[in-house]
């Protein structure tokens, strides 16, 4: 497997784990259920762990797609910038989740860990969503917002309509 295959195979794992971890943590905290809360900590820890290989294979994936038609260097750059921030936030979330697992039964430290993990997981989930959106928009032009201009769309549609009619797009004399 090359970097692109690893990146694409694993890229959804930390995104899904961070969202599921946040939802389960919310339920655990609302119900004051230790088992559910600890389960969310393990999921958030796993999200942090899975983020590392996804992040490390990003550069190789960029090299594989940067010269493909329709790929925008500015979108890759935005994705990379947000991915850097996301790595930091999910790493902090994972470390705090680990401390929550280890120190759960200690009253003050456990409560601080639960609160910190909840706040960090909110931030992580948002950062993951933005990173995933920007990553997807690198190759999926249909999800790009405001990238294609009206003239680009008209040119593309006009050219496709003319091809369908069998006419040439050049002006006839």
């Amino acid at each position: 497997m090359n970097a692109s295959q690893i990146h694409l195979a694993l890229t959804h794992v930390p995104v899904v784990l961070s969202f599921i971890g946040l939802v389960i943590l919310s339920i655990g905290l609302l119900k004051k259920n230790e088992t559910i809360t600890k389960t969310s900590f393990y999921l958030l820890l796993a999200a942090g762990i899975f983020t590392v290989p996804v992040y490390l294979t990003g550069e190789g994936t960029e090299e594989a797609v940067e010269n493909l038609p329709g790929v925008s260097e500015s979108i890759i750059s935005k994705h990379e910038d947000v991915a850097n921030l996301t790595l930091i936030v999910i790493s902090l979330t994972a470390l705090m989740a680990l401390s929550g697992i280890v120190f759960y039964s200690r009253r003050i430290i456990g409560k601080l860990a639960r609160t910190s993990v909840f706040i960090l997981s909110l931030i992580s989930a948002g950062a993951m969503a933005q990173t995933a959106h920007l990553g997807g928009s690198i190759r999926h032009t249909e999800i790009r917002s405001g990238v294609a201009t009206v003239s680009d769309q008209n040119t593309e549609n006009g050219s496709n309509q003319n091809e369908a009619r069998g006419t040439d797009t050049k002006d006839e004399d």
Side-chain angles (χ1 to χ4, degrees):
M1 287 184 98
N2 64 30
S4 294
Q5 291 169 317
I6 294 168
H7 191 77
L8 292 172
L10 294 179
T11 196
H12 297 92
V13 175
V15 176
V16 171
L17 287 175
S18 67
F19 279 100
I20 292 172
L22 172 60
V23 169
I24 291 175
L25 178 59
S26 299
I27 293 167
L29 293 174
L30 286 173
K31 290 189 169 203
K32 297 182 182 182
N33 185 305
E34 181 177 326
T35 303
I36 294 173
T37 303
K38 279 187 177 180
T39 300
S40 72
F41 288 173
Y42 283 105
L43 291 170
L44 293 165
L45 177 60
I49 291 168
F50 274 99
T51 300
V52 174
V54 172
Y55 180 82
L56 293 175
T57 56
E59 191 68 35
T61 305
E62 177 184 2
E63 291 174 15
V65 301
E66 65 188 349
N67 294 319
L68 295 176
V71 173
S72 166
E73 181 62 39
S74 67
I75 293 174
I76 291 174
S77 180
K78 286 178 190 174
H79 174 65
E80 189 174 0
D81 292 343
V82 174
N84 289 333
L85 176 64
T86 301
L87 177 66
I88 293 166
V89 174
I90 195 64
S91 296
L92 291 172
T93 305
L95 289 172
M96 192 56 69
L98 180 60
S99 71
I101 293 166
V102 173
F103 301 112
Y104 194 90
S105 61
R106 294 191 181 172
R107 184 175 290 258
I108 295 172
I109 297 173
K111 185 173 181 165
L112 178 63
R114 288 188 289 279
T115 303
S116 299
V117 172
F118 180 72
I119 292 167
L120 287 168
S121 67
L122 285 171
I123 298 167
S124 294
M128 283 284 182
Q130 182 62 16
T131 303
H133 173 71
L134 289 170
S137 65
I138 291 170
R139 291 289 291 151
H140 295 281
T141 56
E142 70 275 12
I143 64 171
R144 292 183 190 169
S145 59
V147 174
T149 62
V150 174
S151 63
D152 290 341
Q153 291 172 354
N154 290 339
T155 303
E156 203 174 85
N157 290 338
S159 145
N160 289 341
Q161 289 171 356
N162 288 333
E163 288 172 10
R165 286 186 297 228
T167 59
D168 193 33
T169 56
K170 296 178 186 174
D171 290 335
E172 295 182 72
D173 292 326

